[in-house]
Amino acid sequence: MGECICSNCKNLKGIINEEGAVEEYECKFGFPSENCADCEAGECDITCGNFIADDEEIVTTELKCHGCGKAIQQVCGNNEDGEVYCIDCYLKNMN
């Protein structure tokens, strides 16, 4: 018997009801499988490409926007794709 992969995933977020209590949990990428919505057996053997352990820290790198110099946080990686723009400068360049 395997534990459900979603039970300790950082992508699992609580849905809050009108009273302010967590009513249910939802993955921001959806379930790893359509069968997960109906699974109550606790016999999960599914893998998920979006899984991040909830005790794992996310490593970020601070970059500067090529247009305005604003600080931008990039998750796990380096700037191999060229210049980086903040959303405002990116949209200005699209017009």
Side-chain angles (χ1 to χ4, degrees), residues 38-67:
D38 300 321
C39 178
E40 298 291 333
E43 298 177 5
C44 183
D45 61 355
I46 295 171
T47 58
C48 176
N50 297 310
F51 177 80
I52 300 173
D54 59 4
D55 59 353
E56 195 174 302
E57 285 204 31
I58 296 176
V59 178
T60 61
T61 304
E62 186 173 296
L63 304 172
K64 301 286 184 191
C65 172
H66 186 71

Side-chain angles (χ1 to χ4, degrees), residues 21-91:
V22 176
E23 188 170 292
E24 62 181 315
Y25 290 91
E26 178 180 274
C27 175
K28 68 180 183 177
F29 295 103
F31 292 112
S33 165
E34 291 179 12
N35 298 331
C36 290
D38 300 321
C39 178
E40 298 291 333
E43 298 177 5
C44 183
D45 61 355
I46 295 171
T47 58
C48 176
N50 297 310
F51 177 80
I52 300 173
D54 59 4
D55 59 353
E56 195 174 302
E57 285 204 31
I58 296 176
V59 178
T60 61
T61 304
E62 186 173 296
L63 304 172
K64 301 286 184 191
C65 172
H66 186 71
C68 67
K70 179 180 176 181
I72 302 170
Q73 295 294 323
Q74 180 182 24
V75 177
C76 296
N78 52 20
N79 185 17
E80 294 179 5
D81 295 330
E83 300 163 345
V84 176
Y85 294 90
C86 69
I87 190 71
D88 293 329
C89 291
Y90 178 79
L91 292 175

